[in-house]
Amino acid sequence: MSRTLVISPNWIGDAVMAQPLLRRLKQKYPERPIDVVAPGWVAPVWRAMREVDTLIESPFKHGSLQWKERKAFAKMLTGRYAESYVLPNTLKFALIPWLAGIPRRVGYKGEMRYGLVNVMHHDDKAAPRPMAQFYAALADEPVRDLPRPDRLPEPEMAVASEEADAAVARLKLPAGTYVAFAPGAEFGPAKRWPAAYFAELAQTILANRPDAQILLLGSPKDRAVCDEITAIVPQAHNLAGTTSLSEAIALIARAAVVVTNDSGLMHIGAALRRPVVAIYGPTDPRHTPPLSELAKVLWLHIECSPCQQRECPLGHQNCMKQILPNDVWQPLQPVLAAA
């Protein structure tokens, strides 16, 4: 029982923002290995974190209790861990460390998890902390009023150059200055900057940097949005749904700059210390910002924003449409000039 177990969130961006917690745990217990239980679609994020010793992929279906499967999974973990950190707020994930008999089980109150979590933290729902601070606070003893730092902890990820080389070779990408676009957003269409704007920005980049290679990254769900861009700019490479998340991470690590909606790939770009231009509309960058000095956030904060809705409730999406391609091009110019 000389190891630490971390139960991963289900979202890619949240997993990235949990990295400062791992860094703090490693500082407190440098000799103690950290293992992470994560769903397969999030696992590549944790593999790019130096603090993770072993990644254990969870076999559970989303939203399902699967009591027998959780008991069997917990039995496999029994007797190995001194403490656990349960990052999702649901009851079913808190069951795993409890069933495994891990003595110290740290997490937030969540779904009334008294007993399952025995070192319980609380957050002010009326004034929630930024996610990176929310997770990092679990490394400390619980307090009711945690001070808000002037500077939030910055996640750190790393990719071996060989991994990026392999992704470039498999996808047969031409040499050049890679500019990564992430036009999708898992949360919903309200968070997506218009495809026509991405296309206009790509045309501007290519006119000023003929060596640029525009890489359109995302999941299979983002393929249609990326198709809209390549219909206007056929030189762009539509890689949505054709790369694994590991390959997308490797390509972002190789990119000169990342232009992105508020998404998991945005947080990955920031954690890989790539220059990021992040476009926000219905969500709040004060809560989930790209945590890097190299990141530039564009957010108009108009009267109806942040609404936190998946689709624009007013039907106009002005919070995104009023950010014009030239507004994004302005911060890109010095980055590309230095690339």
Side-chain angles (χ1 to χ4, degrees):
M1 296 173 60
S2 58
R3 307 175 77 87
T4 294
L5 184 70
V6 173
I7 309 293
S8 169
N10 285 328
W11 295 93
I12 290 171
D14 286 4
V16 175
M17 288 184 284
Q19 191 275 337
L21 167 63
L22 269 63
R23 197 159 67 240
R24 294 195 65 199
L25 294 176
K26 205 66 179 174
Q27 290 167 353
K28 288 181 71 172
Y29 310 109
E31 75 293 341
R32 184 181 290 177
I34 299 174
D35 299 346
V36 175
V37 172
W41 62 87
V42 178
V45 173
W46 296 103
R47 291 193 179 100
M49 297 181 188
R50 297 184 180 93
E51 297 81 6
V52 177
D53 184 79
T54 303
L55 193 287
I56 306 167
E57 289 198 22
S58 60
F60 311 115
K61 298 175 183 177
H62 183 64
S64 175
L65 178 60
Q66 295 180 277
W67 173 254
K68 290 183 179 179
E69 290 84 352
R70 287 182 196 275
K71 285 184 68 176
F73 188 81
K75 186 176 181 180
M76 179 185 71
L77 305 174
T78 300
R80 299 177 61 188
Y81 297 99
E83 61 177 4
S84 61
Y85 293 81
V86 186
L87 305 192
N89 279 333
T90 58
L91 182 144
K92 58 181 176 290
F93 281 105
L95 283 170
I96 295 170
W98 177 72
L99 288 168
I102 298 174
R104 191 169 188 268
R105 304 181 297 277
V106 184
Y108 284 93
K109 176 183 174 181
E111 295 179 344
M112 296 294 289
R113 304 187 297 183
Y114 293 104
L116 301 181
V117 171
N118 60 9
V119 180
M120 186 169 286
H121 290 244
H122 299 266
D123 200 41
D124 183 356
K125 291 184 178 181
R129 283 169 280 171
M131 287 300 294
Q133 184 190 7
F134 177 81
Y135 287 137
L138 293 174
D140 299 320
E141 292 303 313
V143 293
R144 284 284 180 177
D145 298 310
L146 194 71
R148 294 170 181 262
D150 294 332
R151 181 174 174 178
L152 292 170
E154 296 183 358
E156 296 175 0
M157 295 169 61
V159 173
S161 60
E162 295 82 4
E163 292 183 50
D165 291 341
V168 168
R170 188 188 76 79
L171 297 164
K172 298 181 171 59
L173 295 174
T177 300
Y178 292 156
V179 178
F181 283 5
E186 186 72 19
F187 179 75
K191 288 173 64 172
R192 296 182 191 139
W193 199 47
Y197 287 15
F198 272 108
E200 184 178 333
L201 178 64
Q203 290 172 325
T204 302
I205 292 170
L206 292 170
N208 287 271
R209 285 295 298 262
D211 69 318
Q213 301 293 335
I214 310 295
L215 311 182
L216 308 180
L217 302 176
S219 72
K221 294 179 183 178
D222 303 319
R223 186 79 188 182
V225 172
C226 294
D227 282 340
E228 293 181 45
I229 299 170
T230 53
I232 302 170
V233 189
Q235 306 97 307
H237 304 275
N238 187 351
L239 305 177
T242 66
T243 67
S244 65
L245 179 57
S246 295
E247 288 176 320
I249 292 171
L251 292 173
I252 289 172
R254 183 61 57 86
V257 65
V258 182
V259 181
T260 174
N261 302 320
D262 174 16
S263 67
L265 295 183
M266 174 195 73
H267 292 290
I268 287 169
L272 289 170
R273 294 296 183 263
R274 307 316 305 140
V276 169
V277 180
I279 305 163
Y280 278 76
T283 51
D284 193 337
R286 295 168 297 188
H287 184 56
T288 55
L291 291 169
S292 166
E293 292 182 353
L294 299 177
K296 169 71 174 178
V297 171
L298 300 179
W299 189 44
L300 298 179
H301 197 190
I302 63 176
E303 185 179 40
C304 55
S305 170
C307 68
Q308 304 289 352
Q309 299 299 309
R310 293 178 181 271
E311 297 188 18
C312 177
L314 302 178
H316 53 57
Q317 207 190 5
N318 284 343
C319 61
M320 298 297 274
K321 290 181 177 177
Q322 290 179 1
I323 300 173
L324 301 177
N326 191 58
D327 298 325
V328 182
W329 171 239
Q330 293 304 316
L332 280 184
Q333 290 184 60
V335 176
L336 290 174

